Amino acid sequence: WLAVSAGPWAGFDLGQSVALHVDYGFLRTPPGWRRAQLEVRLSVMVARPSEDTDLTRVVTPPYGTPITVDAGVEQARVWTVEVVPMARLRLPVGEKFALYADGGIGLAQTIEKYDREEMFLGHTERTKNVTGLVVRLGAGMSFALSDRTRLLFEPVAISIQLGPDFSAYVPTLGLAYRL
């Protein structure tokens, strides 16, 4: 099966984006299993989260109470790529409908660019490239449109990056085609 899906990328700590997933999987159900199916998958996800953060500074006048003033803005622009081998446990509920849960551990790579414009400090730019582990867990459902195509909906999808700081909730809607 070759699947393409997309959905919102909602970061726990940073920004939002659209995520694009491409994955390839094949059936590897053990012979003794009667109902459930096991799929082995390789998934690649790309997202481009961004966020603008207003910076403030507390100023204390000689007489009076401290006040907070706007001090600038920091813009974060990130490319994040995840490559994750996964296992999917699929449970057919009817002839065309199935529920599934999947999970895997893989690699995450981020390219992070931060532009900061701050009062009294000027303009600074900072770039980081970070490689780390990612743990991806998900649950969803599939609906067979034909013998060779499935509609996939994964409303529960969490991508936890260990190393890079861009863990996210990534629900997707996609289409899978049997090769």
Side-chain angles (χ1 to χ4, degrees):
W1 290 90
L2 180 64
V4 175
S5 53
W9 187 98
F12 296 140
D13 294 330
L14 173 83
Q16 297 178 355
S17 175
V18 172
L20 177 65
H21 290 261
V22 176
D23 66 63
Y24 173 74
F26 49 91
L27 202 58
R28 285 292 181 248
T29 306
W33 289 17
R34 298 200 192 298
R35 189 152 180 218
Q37 300 171 346
L38 179 66
E39 294 179 6
V40 177
R41 309 190 74 72
L42 179 63
S43 176
V44 177
M45 188 275 304
V46 177
R48 177 89 163 102
S50 63
E51 184 172 66
D52 294 345
T53 304
D54 292 327
L55 304 174
T56 60
R57 180 173 280 230
V58 176
V59 177
T60 306
Y63 302 102
T65 61
I67 57 172
T68 302
V69 296
D70 291 331
V73 67
E74 181 178 62
Q75 297 175 334
R77 305 290 182 259
V78 178
W79 280 102
T80 181
V81 177
E82 298 175 356
V83 178
V84 182
M86 300 185 336
R88 175 174 288 172
L89 183 61
R90 190 170 175 275
L91 181 65
V93 175
E95 194 172 304
K96 294 187 176 242
F97 186 74
L99 299 173
Y100 65 83
D102 56 24
I105 297 175
L107 291 176
Q109 174 69 47
T110 62
I111 300 170
E112 309 165 22
K113 183 177 180 188
Y114 300 93
D115 287 330
R116 188 176 185 117
E117 188 72 43
E118 192 169 11
M119 179 174 50
F120 305 123
L121 297 176
H123 180 83
T124 57
E125 289 184 13
R126 180 171 55 107
T127 303
K128 291 178 13 181
N129 294 323
V130 182
T131 303
L133 292 176
V134 61
V135 176
R136 191 177 307 157
L137 302 169
M141 58 197 80
S142 67
F143 182 77
L145 300 173
S146 71
D147 289 342
R148 298 183 78 83
T149 58
R150 289 182 190 158
L151 181 64
L152 305 170
F153 178 54
E154 191 165 326
V156 179
I158 296 175
S159 176
I160 302 167
Q161 293 185 2
L162 309 170
D165 295 327
F166 298 100
S167 298
Y169 169 66
V170 192
T172 57
L173 179 64
L175 191 63
Y177 179 76
R178 186 172 63 196
L179 302 173

